[in-house]
Amino acid sequence: YWKIAAKINKLLPIRVPQSTIRNWIAGKKPNITPLKLTKETLYAIAYCMGVLCGDYARSCGGLAAKDREFVEYYARMYEIATGIKLNVRPSKNKQGFWETRERGSWLRSCWETGLWKVFAELDPVNWLKGLFDSEGCVTPGCVHERLRDIAVYLTTGDPEVKEMAKKKLRELG
């Protein structure tokens, strides 16, 4: 099984474990998350992609953040996108954080293959919403209690995500 897995892993941009190969050969149905890609669910998938480009734990899956409302909203969008209900619970490892514990392989695959960019193009408003919910903020600039301007901040280190966000913000005005 390891020889087949090694060959597939060289050819594809995703990792296929030996256990998956064993199950394929045995004729077992793969354990996958079905993505419900329709016009009605696109907004939820785009939002999840925005979160993926931000706070989402791309190495092991799951989301952890201090803002419980944000984590619960992400869980609702994930359920709309996949039909799978996520549990939101206090983090065992990070005090004051809330987390989900899904494996999120469909999200990680979208990151590794660059497919997240397609969803950023298809629904930029909801992609930006997910990105800014997880990695950004909007701050008013006041002088003598009068609104002077509004600053939009994005705190991501990924240059590709930054460029896509700038492009989409300019396009949307």
Side-chain angles (χ1 to χ4, degrees):
Y1 303 117
W2 69 270
K3 287 182 182 179
I4 296 170
K7 189 71 170 175
I8 290 173
N9 292 336
K10 284 182 184 178
L11 297 172
L12 297 177
I14 58 172
R15 185 183 166 281
V16 178
Q18 292 179 39
S19 58
T20 300
I21 304 298
R22 189 177 326 109
N23 289 338
W24 287 347
I25 292 171
K28 292 182 182 176
K29 190 175 181 180
N31 183 14
I32 58 170
T33 302
L35 188 60
K36 298 177 177 182
L37 183 54
T38 66
K39 277 183 173 179
E40 292 77 26
T41 62
L42 178 60
Y43 75 98
I45 297 168
Y47 182 85
C48 290
M49 291 296 154
V51 174
L52 167 72
C53 294
D55 281 341
Y56 194 80
R58 292 185 287 266
S59 59
C60 58
L63 175 66
K66 288 186 177 182
D67 184 349
R68 181 180 182 171
E69 188 178 315
F70 160 56
V71 178
E72 287 174 345
Y73 185 76
Y74 164 76
R76 283 195 306 274
M77 294 298 103
Y78 192 95
E79 184 176 4
I80 291 166
T82 64
I84 296 172
K85 185 170 178 55
L86 299 179
N87 288 329
V88 175
R89 59 183 178 218
S91 176
K92 293 177 183 175
N93 302 327
K94 298 178 179 179
Q95 189 166 351
F97 278 70
W98 295 88
E99 69 181 8
T100 63
R101 285 291 190 139
E102 76 283 3
R103 295 189 59 132
S105 58
W106 69 275
L107 284 168
R108 291 193 319 261
S109 295
C110 286
W111 178 260
E112 291 168 5
T113 60
L115 194 57
W116 64 269
K117 295 177 223 168
V118 173
F119 291 99
E121 292 287 346
L122 288 172
D123 189 347
V125 171
N126 284 296
W127 179 76
L128 285 167
K129 182 178 180 186
L131 181 63
F132 275 91
D133 279 357
S134 64
E135 290 288 354
C137 66
V138 178
T139 306
C142 297
V143 176
H144 303 292
E145 296 183 16
R146 297 184 83 141
L147 181 64
R148 187 185 68 203
D149 59 5
I150 296 177
V152 178
Y153 295 100
L154 182 62
T155 56
T156 182
D158 189 288
E160 203 170 14
V161 172
K162 273 188 217 175
E163 287 306 311
M164 179 65 84
K166 285 194 310 193
K167 176 184 168 194
K168 292 296 147 198
L169 286 169
R170 283 188 185 112
E171 286 175 7
L172 293 169

